[in-house]
Amino acid sequence: MEPAPGGSLHIFYYSLALFGTVWALFAVPFVYHVVRAVRARNAWLPFERKPNGRYTFMAQHRWYSAFRAPGPGGRTATGLIVRYGTWLAVVAMLSYLPLKDITYILTH
């Protein structure tokens, strides 16, 4: 979408603020928990129950309950790949509009 000739880039700034915030709500916790898992050398850590009995952001909400880690006997590499792949796909899809806005702002 191009602004009207002589128009301003305000719509792109608002769009960047809105969609950048939505992106950050998913990307920041994802990166935080991936770093935590790497440091602990436990790839299942973001999907396991915490010591206080609650789950991390990546498995806490009832809509995300499918991401919760199964018992130790039910954990497979495929399950782990699906969990990380899904979260990575969500962050990647949410990156499209903010990157598009940034690109447009920088080129005009």
Side-chain angles (χ1 to χ4, degrees):
M1 172 193 323
E2 298 277 333
S8 69
L9 297 174
H10 286 13
I11 189 71
F12 291 97
Y13 294 128
Y14 295 136
S15 175
L16 180 60
L18 175 67
F19 293 114
T21 302
V22 171
W23 174 83
L25 288 173
F26 286 87
V28 171
F30 174 72
V31 170
Y32 170 75
H33 290 297
V34 168
V35 169
R36 235 179 94 230
V38 168
R39 285 185 182 159
R41 294 188 177 148
N42 178 4
W44 283 97
L45 189 64
F47 308 105
E48 291 178 339
R49 193 179 295 265
K50 296 188 290 188
N52 67 3
R54 300 185 68 192
Y55 286 95
T56 65
F57 173 79
M58 295 171 69
Q60 183 176 13
H61 194 276
R62 66 185 172 112
W63 290 353
Y64 308 150
S65 64
F67 293 108
R68 293 178 181 166
R75 297 179 182 189
T76 63
T78 304
L80 194 60
I81 290 169
V82 167
R83 284 169 174 82
Y84 278 106
T86 302
W87 273 101
L88 190 59
V90 167
V91 170
M93 287 187 294
L94 289 174
S95 301
Y96 173 72
L97 284 175
L99 289 176
K100 184 178 172 185
D101 289 339
I102 290 170
T103 302
Y104 189 84
I105 290 168
L106 292 176
T107 58
H108 288 84

